[in-house]
Amino acid sequence: SNLPIITIDGTDSKDFDDAIYLEKNKDGYLLYVLIADVAYYVKEKSSLNADAFQRGTSVYLADRVIPMIPQKLSNGICSLNEGVYRLVNVCEMQISNDGKVTNYELHEGIMKSRHRMTYENVNKIFNGDKELIEKYSDIYQMLLDMNECAKKIRKVRYDKGSIDFDTPEYEVKLDKDGEPIEFKLRTRGEAELLIEDFMLSANETVAYHLNISGLPCLYRVHENPEEEKVKEVFKLVNNFTGHKIRIPQNEIMPKDIQKLMESVKELPSYLSINTLMLRSMKKARYCEECLGHYGLALQYYCHFTSPIRRYPDLIVHRILKQLVFNTNNFNYDMENFENFIHIAGIETSSQEKKSIECEREVDDMLAAKYMSKHIMENFSGIVSSVTSFGFFVMLENGIEGLVHISSLRGRYNFNPTLYQLESGKKTFKIGDKVEIVCTNVDLLEHKIDFMLKEDYELLDMNYSEGYYGKY
């Protein structure tokens, strides 16, 4: 097609799953979300498919990707690279002026990406960068319309009670030898949010269609949390922030959690409250039953938009191709397929968990390596969690270390109600700003030890006095 279809991804991205196109019309906006047709190349009974199923997901590490499908496919023939024709499955949505999907169509297609855009450049365009506006003048108005549409979609989600945990992500920069040289916060601008909004809409629309059509689907589900666990977080926030937040007596709705998170957004303890709330939730998983998505406040949800890097999306594409696009497929073995989806839900959820653990393990290893080059240096940080054996401090670059209770001067007791360590003179609670010294790093265990700067200086002084006192 000659439509100005574009991709928007990170600067370092190599595999492009999704592309978008939007036009404004009298009823609002016509939005195309075009997704790489991986199912065309990775056939059900092939060894390629068996390998992809076993992996379940691509794993993204600091400077590399372990892809779910071979790179010749993920970065090549499946990837929606600029200026080349590619096979896609399309979710075409009519979005009303108040941000709701009023009509949709699902179909196959062939596309050619006009521009490979980056989040960085699109954010610059939104911020008025004249040079980039000139360079991309052919899509400038479309980008503005896209941002306008995305904000309306976001408002609808927000009004339903969708919880944006907005957990900060940190990226690590490595030198040519693979040594970590910098940790920094990855920021989310309007371009990132825009893609997120459009992908969520496509995922919801596909799940809705398969559900009302009585067809099988591998849903992405997030079940309601255990109320007592969530209420505990509400109580903790009331206790240690001084905020008086009403704890709902009946069922806790996503909207209640949304309000709580907004009320603490500006507090230094926000990140820790965020983490506590996330831990009180059930984990999202893949399942053949449509159980809804609590965190997104959606009744229907599946993963459709990333088949290059996630096997569940590939399953959803197969369902669409075999049972929606191909209406003559009367001989399809539905029972066998539904059994497979059940097994796939368990298997892909398990693989996702393993890949997240692997990514965290690598991040922890690199953080320890990085801090091993900064022993005896001073840092500022915020108390991120408090335990009976000490408290963790998060530095501005996102790295965490432990101030052990044995390194604190004086006797401290842990108060679980207020989530703080207390002595007669002093208390340490979540959100407190502290100055620390990095005293030790265990590279094998990936553990980082901190000490309060004031305690370290006293210790240092005592050492030097003790040593020179002998002479």
Side-chain angles (χ1 to χ4, degrees), residues 219-224 289-295 298-301:
Y219 295 98
R220 177 69 168 175
V221 303
H222 185 223
E223 290 149 281
N224 292 16
E289 291 179 74
C290 186
L291 303 173
H293 198 294
Y294 183 84
L298 293 175
Q299 188 180 348
Y300 309 97
Y301 195 65

Side-chain angles (χ1 to χ4, degrees), residues 136-177:
Y136 296 109
S137 59
D138 59 326
I139 58 162
Y140 175 57
Q141 189 54 51
M142 182 174 77
L143 286 171
L144 295 183
D145 293 341
M146 282 177 169
N147 204 20
E148 185 181 273
C149 177
K151 284 175 179 172
K152 290 176 181 178
I153 291 171
R154 203 174 312 149
K155 185 179 183 309
V156 171
R157 276 213 337 273
Y158 173 83
D159 290 345
K160 280 185 181 173
S162 176
I163 311 161
D164 181 7
F165 282 108
D166 195 19
T167 308
E169 288 181 25
Y170 293 88
E171 56 185 314
V172 56
K173 195 175 169 189
L174 307 181
D175 65 13
K176 58 178 176 28
D177 301 318

Side-chain angles (χ1 to χ4, degrees), residues 93-346:
M93 292 165 280
Q94 177 61 45
I95 314 279
S96 67
N97 280 310
D98 56 0
K100 292 173 182 162
V101 178
T102 55
N103 207 348
Y104 66 87
E105 206 175 298
L106 305 171
H107 57 85
E108 293 173 290
I110 298 172
M111 63 154 273
K112 180 159 68 169
S113 169
R114 186 173 292 188
H115 296 295
R116 180 270 197 261
M117 303 298 291
T118 63
Y119 292 129
E120 191 183 355
N121 280 350
V122 174
N123 283 325
K124 281 181 181 173
I125 286 169
F126 289 153
N127 291 325
D129 186 306
K130 286 187 175 132
E131 207 175 304
L132 285 169
I133 290 169
E134 181 63 35
K135 184 178 176 183
Y136 296 109
S137 59
D138 59 326
I139 58 162
Y140 175 57
Q141 189 54 51
M142 182 174 77
L143 286 171
L144 295 183
D145 293 341
M146 282 177 169
N147 204 20
E148 185 181 273
C149 177
K151 284 175 179 172
K152 290 176 181 178
I153 291 171
R154 203 174 312 149
K155 185 179 183 309
V156 171
R157 276 213 337 273
Y158 173 83
D159 290 345
K160 280 185 181 173
S162 176
I163 311 161
D164 181 7
F165 282 108
D166 195 19
T167 308
E169 288 181 25
Y170 293 88
E171 56 185 314
V172 56
K173 195 175 169 189
L174 307 181
D175 65 13
K176 58 178 176 28
D177 301 318
E179 292 293 314
I181 50 173
E182 187 188 9
F183 275 76
K184 65 175 183 182
L185 183 64
R186 186 182 280 132
T187 51
R188 232 173 24 142
E190 289 193 323
E192 286 89 342
L193 293 172
L194 177 157
I195 289 294
E196 198 176 289
D197 293 324
F198 289 175
M199 298 306 127
L200 284 172
S201 293
N203 287 336
E204 183 188 8
T205 301
V206 169
Y208 168 78
H209 180 79
L210 292 174
N211 189 275
I212 62 157
S213 304
L215 295 171
C217 179
L218 182 55
Y219 295 98
R220 177 69 168 175
V221 303
H222 185 223
E223 290 149 281
N224 292 16
E226 288 171 34
E227 287 196 15
E228 280 317 303
K229 286 187 178 178
V230 179
K231 282 180 181 173
E232 277 303 309
V233 182
F234 271 78
K235 284 176 198 163
L236 275 172
V237 171
N238 275 339
N239 289 340
F240 70 65
T241 65
H243 273 53
K244 284 292 159 253
I245 290 146
R246 191 184 67 80
I247 301 170
Q249 293 309 303
N250 304 320
E251 188 184 348
I252 292 183
M253 305 303 287
K255 195 83 184 162
D256 299 318
I257 295 170
Q258 185 195 72
K259 280 180 186 166
L260 172 84
M261 298 314 295
E262 278 183 356
S263 71
V264 297
K265 194 100 182 180
E266 302 308 315
L267 297 180
S269 52
Y270 171 72
L271 276 183
S272 305
I273 295 166
N274 205 358
T275 305
L276 288 170
M277 189 57 85
L278 275 169
R279 283 182 190 154
S280 76
M281 298 270 162
K282 290 186 177 169
K283 297 278 178 286
R285 62 189 178 94
Y286 296 104
C287 176
E288 74 278 14
E289 291 179 74
C290 186
L291 303 173
H293 198 294
Y294 183 84
L296 293 171
L298 293 175
Q299 188 180 348
Y300 309 97
Y301 195 65
C302 72
H303 275 166
F304 157 75
T305 53
S306 293
I308 288 176
R309 62 185 181 89
R310 291 188 305 226
Y311 196 85
D313 304 54
L314 185 53
I315 290 175
V316 169
H317 278 242
R318 284 201 184 120
I319 295 165
L320 290 172
K321 287 171 83 68
Q322 289 159 352
L323 303 174
V324 177
F325 306 152
N326 180 8
T327 50
N328 299 322
N329 204 346
F330 300 118
N331 302 321
Y332 203 71
D333 187 348
M334 197 68 86
E335 194 182 335
N336 194 27
F337 194 54
E338 283 171 352
N339 289 340
F340 168 69
I341 289 177
H342 171 71
I343 294 159
I346 297 165

